[in-house]
Amino acid sequence: MKVGQIIGAVLDTVVKIVIIGVIVSYTYKYALEAYDFGYQVFAEEPVSSPEAAKVISIYIPESATAMEVGEVLEEKGLIRDARLFLIQELLSGHHDELREGSYELSSDMTSEEMIKVLTAEPSEDEEEDTSGKAAEDGKEDGSDSPEEASEGGEEAPEEGTEAPDGGGTAEDGQT
């Protein structure tokens, strides 16, 4: 029986080594995937370079969740992963601020830039309609003098007011 016990002990050891090897390889594989996902949350690159960028119009309904918005962006080719967009939106300073409206986004924008556009008030279409009127109104009644605009220091002017550099409204300077 000594030979049988030795063979049993060797087989038992081999099985344990194989199980440990499988566990280590899966742990390594998923640890790399988790690291890559975490890295992308904070350092994701745009889908395309500025030279190959495409501008795509999207519409966000009023009750859309961040995941639904991410799925639309992924479907249109503006981002690589909707789940990643959800995590980025959760961690951003704009959590739960996505606004209804039509937006024009470029494939050379990062997710962070897209989130800023999607949470900006008002949407781009409304901004074009109201910014021209507000800038004209401000010039006509003299309420937006260069001195008033520069008194705020580094703070951005209020919505619809002329930017300190005279280059349009505060919203026009979005990145």
Side-chain angles (χ1 to χ4, degrees):
M1 275 248 199
K2 288 187 176 184
V3 174
Q5 288 176 342
I6 293 174
I7 292 175
V10 168
L11 286 176
D12 185 47
T13 303
V14 168
V15 168
K16 288 179 182 178
I17 290 173
V18 168
I19 290 173
I20 290 171
V22 168
I23 291 171
V24 166
S25 66
Y26 276 105
T27 301
Y28 180 76
K29 175 186 173 188
Y30 290 115
L32 283 179
E33 286 182 23
Y35 174 81
D36 288 340
F37 188 81
Y39 181 80
Q40 289 174 356
V41 166
F42 298 104
E44 183 182 25
E45 296 293 321
V47 173
S48 65
S49 66
E51 298 83 31
K54 293 186 259 179
V55 176
I56 299 173
S57 295
I58 64 165
Y59 175 76
I60 305 298
E62 185 174 346
S63 61
T65 64
M67 187 63 187
E68 292 168 342
V69 172
E71 289 169 352
V72 169
L73 295 174
E74 182 178 5
E75 182 180 298
K76 298 285 186 174
L78 293 167
I79 60 173
R80 290 181 186 90
D81 188 353
R83 295 175 303 140
L84 185 62
F85 181 82
L86 173 66
I87 300 297
Q88 291 167 330
E89 191 271 340
L90 287 171
L91 296 175
S92 76
H94 302 288
H95 178 58
D96 282 341
E97 294 179 9
L98 295 174
R99 300 192 185 279
E100 172 189 20
S102 295
Y103 300 93
E104 293 205 2
L105 302 172
S106 176
S107 59
D108 70 338
M109 296 172 79
T110 64
S111 293
E112 182 180 340
E113 292 170 332
M114 288 183 205
I115 290 170
K116 286 179 182 177
V117 170
L118 296 172
T119 58
E121 189 177 314
S123 70
E124 289 182 17
D125 291 340
E126 294 172 350
E127 178 182 320
E128 289 175 7
D129 294 341
T130 59
S131 66
K133 289 181 182 178
E136 290 174 6
D137 291 344
K139 289 178 186 174
E140 290 174 3
D141 68 10
S143 64
D144 282 341
S145 68
E147 295 80 24
E148 288 176 354
S150 63
E151 285 177 6
E154 291 295 317
E155 293 181 8
E158 290 185 50
E159 176 183 346
T161 60
E162 189 171 337
D165 64 352
T169 63
E171 290 85 6
D172 291 340
Q174 292 179 0
T175 56

